[in-house]
Amino acid sequence: PANSMSFFVTSAGPGRGANLGGLLGADRHCQMLATAAGAGNKMWHAYLSENGSAGHPTINARDRIGTGPWYNAKGVVIATSVADLHSDNNKIGKETALTEKGEMLPGRGDTPNKHDVLTGSQPDGTAYPGTDSANSTCGNWARR
C-alpha cells in the first residue's frame, strides 16, 4: 500500500508551529515523512496555498498536487480528480485521512483531539483573497 500512497496527513510537524520554511520547507518535510514510510519514490507536495503578499505570488494548493487519483496509506481511494477532491464526493474522513504510517489521527471524541489541518486554502483549494489572506497562511508558512 505504501507504494500506491499518494495522499497522507502528516503524522508530525517540523516542530516550529506554522513556520514550515515556506512551501519548499513544507514540501521537504512531506518528502522526508514519505521516505521514512517507504513512499519516497515520488515527489511530494504539501497541500498549502500562499497569498500574494510580501513579494509572493498567489499559489493555490489545488494547483500543486497533480490530477489524481489519490490513495491513502492503506490503498483506499480518497478522490479520483481535483474536482472530486474538492467536492462532497471525496472520501476524506477520520477513518481515511491517515498519516503516512497508515495511522488514524485522534479527532472528535478522542483524547487528545488533534484534528486541526492548516492549508491556507478555501474549500475549493484556492488561496484566500484580500487582506485576510495573510493571516490564513501564517505569513506564507514562514512566520516565526
Side-chain angles (χ1 to χ4, degrees), residues 45-48 60-68 70 82 85-86:
H45 295 285
Y47 186 89
L48 297 173
N60 299 313
R62 69 181 290 134
D63 299 334
R64 306 184 74 237
I65 58 169
T67 59
W70 293 278
V82 174
L85 180 67
H86 296 96

Side-chain angles (χ1 to χ4, degrees), residues 118-140:
L118 302 175
T119 68
S121 307
Q122 300 179 92
D124 68 354
T126 59
Y128 283 95
T131 56
D132 289 339
S133 63
N135 292 331
S136 68
T137 65
C138 297
N140 285 328

Side-chain angles (χ1 to χ4, degrees), residues 5-46:
M5 180 175 67
S6 53
F7 167 93
F8 66 88
V9 178
T10 57
S11 61
R16 298 182 315 270
N19 180 359
L20 305 175
L23 292 181
L24 291 177
D27 290 347
R28 192 175 315 112
H29 183 69
C30 290
Q31 190 73 46
M32 179 192 71
L33 293 173
T35 298
N41 59 338
K42 55 186 92 167
M43 186 173 294
W44 289 90
H45 295 285

Side-chain angles (χ1 to χ4, degrees), residues 96-116:
T96 59
L98 305 177
T99 71
E100 72 282 357
K101 301 173 187 177
E103 299 170 343
M104 197 171 13
L105 292 164
R108 187 178 311 177
D110 297 325
T111 304
N113 180 338
K114 295 182 180 179
H115 74 282
D116 292 341

